[in-house]
Amino acid sequence: MSIMPLEKRGITRSRLILGFMGFGGDWETGEIGKGELADAERGLDTALETGITMFDHADIYKRGKAEAVFGKCLKNRPGLREKIIIQSKCGIRFADAANPARYDFSKSHILGAVDGILERLGTDYLDILLLHRPDPLMEPEEVAEAFSSLLEAGKVRNFGVSNMNAGQMKLLQAYIGSPIVVNQMEMSLRKIDWVDQGVHVNQSAGLETHFSEGLIEYCMLESIQLQAWAPLAKGLYTGRTDFASAAEEKTAELVARMAKEKETTKEAILLGWLMRHPANIQPVIGTTNLARIKNCQDATRQASLMTREEWYSLYIASRGNRLP
């Protein structure tokens, strides 16, 4: 396996990320109780024990409580901040009494959002700030001003995006002075349109593939780290039985069989399949289940051991039909 882009840039060597969206209690406003804090501390410690040193947040997760509970964890662990990488996202605004739910890449919102993120996390800086979802009203010059201000103030060290296509990234990169280092997309053995997009070139099947054409290749060319959210397909192949098709059931059986033969976990097989791709995809694990976090520990090794034939067997099983 080659080196992933974030390692090339000297940002992190953590091949996995723990997403903190599930921690902090419910999605309602309110105080963080002792139970929520204890859960978050166990999640953080389990991730560190597993070798995960990068953590993913967003200002909207649990309406800010996910970041706040992580900040409390950091406060209880002096010296940990400099040993880990923290990224967070902004740009999504909830509906309120006067306004609809919307996306907002205005300079004022970005700057205000980052100040709130840093306060909740109890840190002076973010290693990476991501723009959460594309804003149709994005003014790239305004985003560039916000990024420049954050960089000069030392509040953010690197910038990235989430759920953006290649064209949107190119437009933004043309204006900002610092490189886009991350793009976070939904990718898993269940959501395989990112693979199908390339396979279906010059095929009528490509008309039904909904993934940004050339995005994978663009990120690889520009050393932009592709991060996969929902990489475990929300438990579809690791325990759930509510299969929507025969292909899903057969894929789950194949994953289980491979895990047994390789004396590893189903989670390691799923993540290993993603990480085996030449783009060096970095999975963002969203579970709060401590056992599942531990089950991901062998993913890097499984990625290095996975043969082309094994990779294609999993891909074709998920497709539910042969290659064109």
Side-chain angles (χ1 to χ4, degrees):
M1 293 175 64
S2 55
I3 300 175
M4 66 177 186
L6 286 185
E7 185 173 357
K8 289 181 181 178
R9 296 182 185 276
I11 296 174
T12 184
R13 297 179 63 185
S14 185
R15 289 296 281 117
L16 302 176
I17 304 172
L18 180 63
F20 238 69
M21 182 178 72
F23 294 95
D26 57 32
W27 281 82
E28 302 302 320
T29 57
E31 296 296 324
I32 297 170
K34 293 181 178 179
E36 287 80 13
L37 177 57
D39 288 342
E41 288 183 325
R42 285 191 289 266
L44 173 59
D45 290 338
T46 300
L48 294 172
E49 292 166 5
T50 305
I52 298 172
T53 57
M54 186 167 181
F55 300 88
D56 177 79
H57 294 272
D59 57 355
I60 64 167
Y61 292 165
K62 300 299 178 71
R63 298 185 180 273
K65 291 192 296 180
E67 290 175 332
V69 76
F70 192 87
K72 290 180 180 294
C73 291
L74 284 181
K75 187 176 181 180
N76 293 336
R77 291 161 176 76
L80 179 60
R81 175 64 187 96
E82 298 304 320
K83 299 177 182 178
I84 62 175
I85 298 296
I86 302 176
Q87 67 180 23
S88 192
K89 300 179 283 291
C90 72
I92 296 179
R93 304 189 69 170
F94 290 126
D96 53 41
N99 300 292
R102 59 209 182 275
Y103 304 138
D104 191 343
F105 287 179
S106 64
K107 178 180 178 180
S108 60
H109 178 70
I110 292 173
L111 295 180
V114 170
D115 284 342
I117 290 169
L118 295 179
E119 181 178 359
R120 288 188 292 274
L121 289 172
T123 184
D124 296 328
Y125 68 96
L126 283 176
D127 294 286
I128 309 174
L129 173 69
L130 310 183
L131 298 178
H132 207 156
R133 283 193 177 274
D135 175 11
L137 299 181
M138 178 183 76
E139 296 281 357
E141 300 94 337
E142 194 171 357
V143 175
E145 290 178 5
F147 281 8
S148 178
S149 176
L150 292 169
L151 192 64
E152 291 176 4
K155 295 180 178 180
V156 178
R157 295 182 175 180
N158 300 280
F159 300 96
V161 297
S162 181
N163 304 297
M164 278 199 184
N165 64 32
Q168 292 165 332
M169 296 176 70
K170 291 177 182 178
L171 174 62
L172 186 58
Q173 188 64 85
Y175 287 86
I176 63 176
S178 53
I180 294 173
V181 302
V182 165
N183 188 10
Q184 194 174 112
M185 306 288 290
E186 183 180 5
M187 295 184 285
S188 70
L189 186 56
R190 182 187 190 186
K191 193 169 191 311
I192 57 173
D193 53 357
W194 60 279
V195 184
D196 286 341
Q197 180 66 58
V199 170
H200 288 161
V201 172
N202 202 34
Q203 299 287 328
S204 59
L207 298 175
E208 299 180 0
T209 304
H210 303 289
F211 193 82
S212 174
E213 184 176 356
L215 174 60
I216 301 296
E217 295 80 3
Y218 175 72
C219 289
M220 292 176 70
L221 283 169
E222 299 298 325
S223 291
I224 297 170
Q225 183 69 60
L226 277 163
Q227 295 178 348
W229 59 269
L232 294 174
K234 300 178 181 179
L236 181 65
Y237 305 127
T238 56
R240 282 172 49 191
T241 57
D242 54 332
F243 304 116
S245 66
E248 289 184 352
E249 186 172 3
K250 290 181 179 179
T251 303
E253 292 172 354
L254 178 56
V255 169
R257 185 166 66 251
M258 289 181 64
K260 183 177 181 180
E261 291 172 352
K262 294 173 176 290
E263 298 182 339
T264 189
T265 64
K266 299 172 186 177
E267 289 84 356
I269 295 296
L270 290 177
L271 299 182
W273 181 81
L274 275 173
M275 296 159 67
R276 172 67 173 79
H277 191 275
N280 284 291
I281 296 164
Q282 189 182 33
V284 182
I285 305 163
T287 184
T288 60
N289 185 303
L290 304 186
R292 293 195 76 196
I293 295 174
K294 293 178 181 178
N295 285 347
C296 297
Q297 187 170 11
D298 196 34
T300 301
R301 188 174 74 92
Q302 290 305 320
S304 67
L305 295 174
M306 188 170 292
T307 66
R308 296 176 65 90
E309 291 72 26
E310 289 170 337
W311 190 92
Y312 270 99
S313 293
L314 289 165
Y315 170 49
I316 293 171
S318 180
R319 282 172 57 90
N321 53 63
R322 64 180 179 84
L323 291 173

